[in-house]
Amino acid sequence: MTRPNLQIACDHKDLPSALADIKSIGEIVDILEVGTILLLQEGKQPVECFRALYPEKTIVADPKCADAGSTVAKNCKEAGANWMTCICSATIPTMKAAAKEIDEIQVELYGDWTYVQAQQWLDAGISQVIYHQSRDALLAGETWGEKDLKKVQKLVDMGFRVSITGGLNIDTLKLFEGVDVYTFITGRGITQTESPKQAALDFKNEIKRIWG
Ligand code: 5RP
């Protein structure tokens, strides 16, 4: 089993605050993400800045694209992103059009997706999904648990690289022990702490402790 990556999700309200954090933790994490909130606030500029700061890192743009896959992916790629997210309710033609323009598409799992759809994504050549607890569901009292493990394991067994995200903290990670998680995506669990650098190191160390 490979050790999962750590991805920082930057959902800052503006570019300066995102840059302040990314400069202190960019070298510690494996993957950098310009989150939906920051993209909506600042457009492509954070992607361009992250790329200028970290020429060799994998950068994800998270527009949760639902349509116009080709155009959105081309724009993300030109700004410097390697990967881009599509919402799971996007059509296969949207996902395929996006996949032609950027290195990889990740399907964001929200709401009522099915394993039949998941097989269609695989058949379309898309092998990354993001298993998500939405911010709003968490606020409404949702928690991580056994039900999530089963779905994640099934997606792994189907052949997906599965990223996990939504309100993660250090203690959530051990729930996934023994599961071949591809990446843990963390936003506020790092950025909204007293020391984002220390929090990123703590996440990394916990991943190493559990997955070796
Ligand atoms: C929200 C997202 C977030 O970027 C991701 O889930 C990380 O968020 P956090 O760790 O702050 O809950 O995609 O749509």
Side-chain angles (χ1 to χ4, degrees):
M1 200 172 290
T2 336
R3 180 194 300 157
N5 297 304
L6 178 61
Q7 176 172 326
I8 178 70
C10 291
D11 283 304
H12 299 71
K13 65 178 181 358
D14 56 35
L15 183 56
S17 57
L19 288 179
D21 278 346
I22 213 72
K23 281 177 186 166
S24 72
I25 56 184
E27 289 299 346
I28 299 166
V29 300
D30 304 292
I31 301 171
L32 313 175
E33 174 194 326
V34 177
T36 314
I37 293 170
L38 183 59
L39 268 182
L40 288 170
Q41 290 292 97
E42 299 278 16
K44 67 179 179 177
Q45 218 188 338
V47 184
E48 291 171 339
C49 290
F50 285 15
R51 177 53 71 213
L53 283 168
Y54 297 101
E56 306 301 332
K57 288 257 172 185
T58 298
I59 296 179
V60 183
D62 183 23
K64 306 192 198 317
C65 179
D67 196 4
S70 175
T71 307
V72 176
K74 204 181 282 181
N75 292 343
C76 289
K77 175 79 180 173
E78 276 173 17
N82 304 95
W83 301 346
M84 182 189 97
T85 59
C86 280
I87 192 82
C88 57
S89 53
T91 61
I92 296 292
T94 291
M95 292 184 192
K96 276 187 170 173
K100 272 194 192 148
E101 302 295 341
I102 197 156
D103 303 356
E104 283 202 54
I105 292 299
Q106 299 176 297
V107 181
E108 286 251 22
L109 304 177
Y110 282 101
D112 296 324
W113 56 275
T114 66
Y115 294 106
V116 173
Q117 281 176 297
Q119 188 56 54
Q120 289 169 351
W121 305 329
L122 280 176
D123 295 344
I126 294 162
S127 59
Q128 285 206 61
V129 292
I130 301 176
Y131 187 90
H132 212 126
Q133 292 275 18
S134 85
R135 216 172 249 239
D136 299 326
L138 289 162
L139 274 173
E142 188 59 87
T143 53
W144 287 100
E146 206 53 45
K147 64 182 188 331
D148 303 303
L149 285 185
K150 284 195 183 130
K151 290 184 197 164
V152 170
Q153 188 59 59
K154 177 147 185 185
L155 290 163
V156 171
D157 292 343
M158 287 177 78
F160 284 104
R161 281 169 288 154
V162 183
S163 296
I164 304 290
T165 192
L168 297 181
N169 55 48
I170 303 275
D171 291 336
T172 327
L173 301 185
K174 56 179 166 298
L175 179 69
F176 293 91
E177 186 160 6
V179 181
D180 203 358
V181 172
Y182 183 59
T183 298
F184 287 105
I185 306 173
T186 308
R188 293 163 295 170
I190 290 177
T191 59
Q192 291 188 10
T193 59
E194 215 167 281
S195 167
K197 183 174 180 181
Q198 189 55 52
L201 288 168
D202 291 346
F203 265 92
K204 270 297 238 195
N205 288 335
E206 182 67 351
I207 289 172
K208 275 186 201 153
R209 187 189 70 76
I210 298 173
W211 280 271

